[in-house]
Amino acid sequence: MKTLAALLLGATALVGTQAMAETTLTIATVNNNDMIVMQKLSKDFEQKNPDIKLNWVILEENVLRQKVTTDIATQGGQYDIMTIGMFETPLWGEKGWLSEFSEVPVEYNLDDVLQSVRDGLSFDGKLYALPFYAESQMTFYRKDLFEKAGIEMPDKPTWEQIGQFAEKITDKDNEVYGICLRGKPGWGENMGQIGPVVNSYGGRWFDMSWKPQLDTPAWKEGVTTYVELLKKYGPPGVASNGFNETLALFANGKCGMWVDATVAAGFLTDTKQSQVADKMGYAHPPIGKFEKGNHYLWSWALAVPASSKEPEAAKKFIYWATSQDYIKLVAEANGWAAVPPGTRTSTYETPEYISAAPFAKLTLETIETADPTDATQEQVPYRGISYVGIPEFQAFGTAVGQQMAAVIAGQTSVDEALEASQALVTRAMKQAGYLKD
């Protein structure tokens, strides 16, 4: 009987071990360079946690947003970890759709995470996601092209100056375009970039009564500036270019300037991936008429949906992927300039990083000066710089983005697109109950 009992105990232990080994986390993330690196380096996590296996779902930005929004709203439970941002996190945290990070391990050093980033990933003082990287905007430019043209980039250029520079450095015969900007429709694609331009010309999405303001002179001036730059000095097919497509163009030497996310800097200074790594210059994002709201604050962060069946294992992975040790792991694998930026004070106190990343100081400055609570010249009832912090924005923001892409593609005029946008946003706000008929 003792032998039988021992066999049964051994069998039970074996089953338990197999059950542990079968813990699988499904991670939905965006196909940006830093996330591809995370997937590659995640072997380190699996080696340290042999009872946890990782299943990766890597998607284009617009597709990712659509799929994770659908899944979490229906409590589908398809994903254990979602890559979301400062738009979704507080909204979904308020609804109880996300698992709170209420007991963060001491060794994680949460106080090291930048306060503005933590605030953007919280609701009512409760933290619902941890930042994988954080970003604002900057102006990237080719020093060699500027020197050849005999021009100099100021520290804080205006959009008018950007147009003048673009004219002088454009060489379409040799496929060098003065400026590259996002044209692909999406609330986080082209509208994420157009929004700050409109802010800097004095525009806003809504007045204090939630009446849409897209048919105003400020919107026309901001959108016209953006569109005309691309039509005159941009690459062909720009209405299909999002962040990754534009990053590839710049890295391959096709762009003289680019105004976009600060996170691109690490990629563009990597000689293994960028043909212009030794020619890079950096400046503040351009100003229209006003500096307020001309650059955003964003974080791609990792969150655990309430529908996950493995929340503790999911959090264990997130602590690993957003830790100081992970940043060191990336530095060892790809160099200090390539580490995920904008999340931790310690990164910006590391001499090796400051030495390797000439863009570090500017990145931190733009992150710290972007204020989602005060981003427009006139008062607004919403929070956000490049987006409006209400659930309905995903739909109408993307619809407006489609109108903007049509203008960039030459299919309609700025006036027609803004008139259509004003109508569709007004309709959406009435349907959602913000406006009365």
Side-chain angles (χ1 to χ4, degrees):
M1 290 299 291
K2 288 183 180 180
T3 303
L4 179 58
L7 287 171
L8 288 172
L9 183 62
T12 302
L14 180 61
V15 170
T17 302
Q18 290 174 335
M20 284 180 63
E22 290 173 1
T23 299
T24 299
L25 299 177
T26 299
I27 305 169
T29 195
V30 67
N31 63 342
N32 290 355
N33 183 64
D34 290 82
M35 286 68 172
I36 303 299
V37 171
M38 174 171 58
Q39 182 190 18
K40 290 179 180 178
L41 295 181
S42 65
K43 292 176 183 177
D44 175 82
F45 175 82
E46 289 185 302
Q47 287 171 356
K48 292 175 179 175
N49 299 274
D51 56 321
I52 301 174
K53 301 302 176 186
L54 306 176
N55 175 37
W56 292 86
V57 179
I58 299 179
L59 303 166
E60 185 269 331
E61 183 173 323
N62 287 339
V63 177
L64 172 76
R65 287 183 163 131
Q66 183 180 32
K67 286 188 175 294
V68 298
T69 300
T70 299
D71 185 74
I72 202 160
T74 60
Q75 300 293 294
Q78 188 174 352
Y79 310 110
D80 297 290
I81 297 168
M82 292 178 168
T83 304
I84 59 176
M86 289 185 173
F87 170 75
E88 299 94 345
T89 303
L91 292 173
W92 294 358
E94 180 182 11
K95 289 181 178 291
W97 291 352
L98 298 174
S99 179
E100 181 190 348
F101 285 88
S102 57
E103 297 179 0
V104 178
V106 174
E107 61 270 21
Y108 181 79
N109 193 7
L110 183 60
D111 288 340
D112 186 47
V113 178
L114 295 174
Q115 186 66 52
S116 61
V117 178
R118 276 186 279 159
D119 290 344
L121 298 172
S122 300
F123 173 76
D124 197 23
K126 296 177 180 179
L127 188 64
Y128 288 100
L130 292 175
F132 181 63
Y133 67 72
E135 64 187 19
S136 184
Q137 288 169 293
M138 67 170 61
T139 302
F140 304 95
Y141 67 98
R142 290 264 302 275
K143 286 184 176 180
D144 58 325
L145 298 182
F146 271 64
E147 289 174 7
K148 183 179 178 182
I151 53 179
E152 188 173 336
M153 175 70 78
D155 182 48
K156 292 185 176 181
T158 65
W159 279 108
E160 183 179 1
Q161 289 174 316
I162 293 293
Q164 295 167 357
F165 300 154
E167 182 180 11
K168 292 183 178 180
I169 61 177
T170 295
D171 183 3
K172 293 186 178 180
D173 290 341
N174 289 305
E175 295 186 337
V176 176
Y177 303 94
I179 189 162
C180 294
L181 300 166
R182 297 193 214 184
K184 179 186 287 187
W187 70 263
E189 284 281 12
N190 60 357
M191 291 314 300
Q193 306 303 311
I194 291 172
V197 181
V198 170
N199 293 341
S200 77
Y201 280 98
R204 53 183 176 166
W205 278 88
F206 300 99
D207 67 13
M208 290 299 290
S209 300
W210 290 104
K211 180 181 177 183
Q213 301 292 299
L214 287 84
D215 58 356
T216 57
W219 265 86
K220 182 175 181 178
E221 194 168 7
V223 171
T224 299
T225 297
Y226 195 92
V227 170
E228 288 302 309
L229 282 171
L230 287 175
K231 284 187 173 181
K232 291 178 181 177
Y233 314 117
V238 70
S240 300
N241 292 346
F243 173 76
N244 283 326
E245 293 84 0
T246 314
L247 176 62
L249 282 170
F250 201 108
N252 289 322
K254 303 297 184 182
C255 309
M257 293 181 291
W258 180 28
V259 181
D260 210 303
T262 52
V263 72
F267 181 93
L268 292 173
T269 54
D270 183 352
T271 55
K272 297 177 183 177
Q273 304 181 82
S274 172
Q275 296 178 19
V276 295
D278 61 342
K279 302 175 176 67
M280 292 300 303
Y282 315 93
H284 283 82
I287 301 163
K289 293 180 176 177
F290 310 100
E291 194 167 342
K292 183 187 286 189
N294 78 319
H295 60 286
Y296 57 65
L297 175 64
W298 181 258
S299 172
W300 277 119
L302 301 176
V304 180
S307 55
S308 170
K309 295 180 177 62
E310 303 290 346
E312 294 310 312
K315 287 180 179 179
K316 181 179 282 190
F317 174 82
I318 292 174
Y319 292 138
W320 172 85
T322 63
S323 67
Q324 290 171 279
D325 286 342
Y326 176 80
I327 288 173
K328 292 175 183 176
L329 189 65
V330 176
E332 291 170 5
N334 298 326
W336 271 103
V339 305
T343 60
R344 289 180 171 271
T345 300
S346 58
T347 301
Y348 294 88
E349 294 174 345
T350 302
E352 294 91 340
Y353 181 64
I354 300 303
S355 175
F359 48 82
K361 181 180 177 182
L362 180 56
T363 295
L364 186 60
E365 183 180 339
T366 54
I367 287 174
E368 292 184 332
T369 56
D371 186 354
T373 67
D374 185 22
T376 53
Q377 288 301 117
E378 297 180 89
Q379 280 191 305
V380 294
Y382 59 86
R383 176 188 175 93
I385 302 174
S386 57
Y387 58 83
V388 178
I390 59 174
E392 294 79 11
F393 182 73
Q394 288 199 66
F396 70 71
T398 294
V400 173
Q402 290 166 345
Q403 292 290 330
M404 298 301 107
V407 179
I408 293 167
Q411 298 168 356
T412 188
S413 69
V414 171
D415 285 337
E416 290 169 336
L418 290 178
E419 182 181 351
S421 296
Q422 176 76 6
L424 69 87
V425 176
T426 299
R427 185 166 56 250
M429 296 304 280
K430 285 182 178 179
Q431 290 174 345
Y434 291 83
L435 292 172
K436 296 181 179 178
D437 291 327

